[in-house]
């Protein structure tokens, strides 16, 4: 992206964008759809507009919410040994550590990381982006909602959980026979949708559209 | 052709690290997104060290205590993180053992070293250029979460393998200390202000 030249008068700060990673100033110019504006010093993606990004983001966030509800309560995996079997849902997995003691805290953490935080983030994104998609004013506290969603981003670990499933299946393989329930496939689909959603969202565009100054009163 | 790099700080501006908007130096809060503004988060290094040390202290018991307690009929075996991986190798699952070893040993130790290196080289000359150190920071941020794999494996196995007398798997105490260690090191990486890597810039002259 274009540099801010050495003697430029920095009067109109709104046209300037600073890289969050290295503090380098750029003149904010929105690239063509599908292109990315990257930081000229460190390569960080500053602006990445996509065609119909808001509508697609809404569709994906709805999909995440619905799939996650399904994936939580349908049978996830089942295991059979010597005529005995045990089916477990994602919900059971999250509750595996509940023993009334300190392990319960771990259960809560696992439930949060694989189910609650991904769903909460989708709901927050819906709340923030839905009004923007139909050119309406943002709902109250939209900026706080988007901040929270951004803070929670590293703590949404559904994709890591899927790899964990693969490892667990190999570990249990010689002890028992394992079958996949419908929730397993829902969850695998969910991970693809979450990754798509992440690649689609352009944070700078959302922040710009949330800015009260950018909306005619 | 390439114009010199000019930072917000040098121009008397403070940048919002969340929405990239700039404000006059001294502004306390970003009017666009509501985040607190700081030209450089000067206390960030203290927080980095604090989280890193707590994370490391949790990592030691995570390796000494069992992660998994497996009971088949009447024999119970405890497995530590490394012990579980060695067992997998004996079963011929070399690839999976490698995934566990990388996620539970390689990544955490690499992360401790990398974050400590980045924090130390803020105030003293570094062998690696700012670009290299920034790449290292991005790698640490991206890869740190993946250490959680082993905790999830324990959760899945404990939920799945509950077949009364035939076989059962239960979590050991290391599951919780390991999870804490991953969480604390993630917080250490998040506390780091990457803009300081560039201030210490060995490529200033370029
Ligand atoms: Zn940059
Ligand atoms: Zn801001």
């Amino acid at each position: 992206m274009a540099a801010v030249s050495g003697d430029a008068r920095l009067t109109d700060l709104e046209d300037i964008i600073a890289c969050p990673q290295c503090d380098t100033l750029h003149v904010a110019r929105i690239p063509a759809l599908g292109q990315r504006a990257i930081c000229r010093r460190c390569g960080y993606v500053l602006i990445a507009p996509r065609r119909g990004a808001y509508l697609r983001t809404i569709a994906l966030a709805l999909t995440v919410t619905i799939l996650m509800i399904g994936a939580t309560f349908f049978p996830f995996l089942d295991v059979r040994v010597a005529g005995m079997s045990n089916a477990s849902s994602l919900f059971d997995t999250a509750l595996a550590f509940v023993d009334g003691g300190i392990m319960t805290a771990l259960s809560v953490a696992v439930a949060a990381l694989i189910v609650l935080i991904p769903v909460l983030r989708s709901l927050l994104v819906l709340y923030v982006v839905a009004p923007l998609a139909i050119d309406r004013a943002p709902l109250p506290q939209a900026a706080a909602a988007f901040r929270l969603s951004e803070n929670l981003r590293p703590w949404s670990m559904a994709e890591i959980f899927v790899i964990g499933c693969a490892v667990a299946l190999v570990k249990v393989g010689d002890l028992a026979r394992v079958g996949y329930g419908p929730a397993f496939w829902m969850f695998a689909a969910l991970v693809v949708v979450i990754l798509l959603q992440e690649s689609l969202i352009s944070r700078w565009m959302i922040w710009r559209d949330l800015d009260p100054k950018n909306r005619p009163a | 052709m390439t114009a010199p790099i000019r930072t917000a700080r040098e121009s008397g501006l403070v940048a919002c690290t969340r929405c990239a908007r700039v404000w006059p130096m001294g502004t306390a809060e970003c009017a666009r997104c509501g985040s607190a503004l700081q030209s450089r988060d000067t206390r960030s290094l203290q927080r980095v060290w604090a989280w890193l040390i707590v994370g490391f202290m949790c990592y030691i018991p995570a390796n000494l205590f069992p992660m998994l307690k497996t009971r088949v009929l009447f024999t119970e075996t405890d497995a530590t993180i490394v012990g579980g991986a060695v067992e997998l190798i004996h079963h011929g699952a070399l690839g999976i053992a490698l995934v566990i070893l990388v996620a539970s040993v390689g990544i955490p130790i690499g992360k401790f070293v990398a974050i400590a290196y980045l924090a130390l080289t803020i105030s003293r000359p570094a062998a690696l250029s700012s670009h290299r150190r920034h790449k290292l920071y991005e790698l640490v941020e991206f890869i740190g979460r993946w250490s959680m794999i082993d905790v999830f494996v324990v959760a899945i196995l404990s939920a799945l393998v509950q077949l009364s007398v035939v076989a059962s798997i239960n979590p050991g105490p290391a599951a919780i200390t390991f999870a804490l260690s991953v969480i604390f090191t993630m917080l250490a990486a998040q506390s780091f202000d990457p803009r300081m890597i560039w201030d210490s810039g060995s490529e200033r002259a370029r």
Side-chain angles (χ1 to χ4, degrees), chain B residues 108-123:
Chain B
I109 291 181
K111 252 178 83 173
F112 291 129
V113 175
I115 296 174
Y117 174 77
L118 289 173
L120 285 173
T121 49
I122 291 304
S123 52

Side-chain angles (χ1 to χ4, degrees), chain A residues 27-104:
Chain A
V27 178
R29 258 187 227 112
I30 298 168
L33 286 174
Q35 307 274 67
R36 304 185 310 170
I38 62 168
C39 171
R40 50 193 288 265
R41 175 147 71 161
C42 75
Y44 183 83
V45 177
L46 297 168
I47 312 176
R50 295 275 186 285
R51 188 186 303 280
Y54 286 163
L55 285 176
R56 284 198 218 175
T57 301
I58 290 169
L60 292 175
L62 280 173
T63 315
V64 168
T65 314
I66 292 163
L67 277 177
M68 191 61 100
I69 292 168
T72 310
F73 293 103
F74 279 105
F76 193 66
L77 298 168
D78 64 85
V79 61
R80 274 177 224 96
V81 187
M84 304 195 59
S85 82
N86 179 32
S88 96
S89 67
L90 205 59
F91 200 63
D92 298 327
T93 305
L95 296 181
F97 297 124
V98 170
D99 64 345
I102 190 163
M103 285 293 180
T104 308

Side-chain angles (χ1 to χ4, degrees), chain A residues 177-199:
Chain A
R177 276 224 325 279
V178 176
Y180 303 90
F184 181 83
W185 302 110
M186 283 180 170
F187 203 80
L190 188 81
V191 167
V192 176
V193 177
I194 289 178
L195 293 180
L196 263 179
Q197 194 182 16
E198 278 305 302
S199 70

Side-chain angles (χ1 to χ4, degrees), chain A residues 5-6 14 18 20-23 25 40-42 79 81 84 86 97 103 147 151 154 156 159-160 174 207 211, chain B residues 3 6-9 15 17-18 20-21 32-33 40 91 131 134 145 159-161 163-164 166 171-172 176 198:
Chain A
S5 57
E14 253 187 288
Q21 295 279 312
C22 72
D23 214 28
L25 295 179
R40 50 193 288 265
R41 175 147 71 161
C42 75
V79 61
V81 187
M84 304 195 59
N86 179 32
F97 297 124
M103 285 293 180
R147 274 209 314 275
N151 285 339
S156 168
E159 71 273 27
I160 300 170
D174 57 333
W207 282 124
D211 195 329
Chain B
R6 186 165 159 194
T7 67
R9 187 188 183 80
T17 51
R18 189 180 298 279
R21 184 88 159 78
R32 177 170 279 184
C33 75
R40 293 298 177 270
H91 284 96
H131 279 279
H134 183 245
R145 314 153 65 234
L160 199 56
V161 186
L163 302 158
S164 65
V166 182
I176 199 157
W198 301 95

Side-chain angles (χ1 to χ4, degrees), chain A residues 147 207, chain B residues 15-23 29-37:
Chain A
R147 274 209 314 275
W207 282 124
Chain B
C16 176
T17 51
R18 189 180 298 279
C19 72
R21 184 88 159 78
V22 291
W23 303 95
E29 192 187 276
C30 176
R32 177 170 279 184
C33 75
S35 302
L37 296 175

Side-chain angles (χ1 to χ4, degrees), chain B residues 3 11 26 49 78 84 88 100 102 106 113 117 119 125 127 140 145 152 160-161 163-164 173 177 180-181 185 201 205:
Chain B
S11 313
W49 283 117
D78 288 355
L88 278 171
I100 290 291
V102 168
V113 175
Y117 174 77
V140 166
R145 314 153 65 234
F152 292 150
L160 199 56
V161 186
L163 302 158
S164 65
T177 49
L180 285 176
S181 170
T185 31

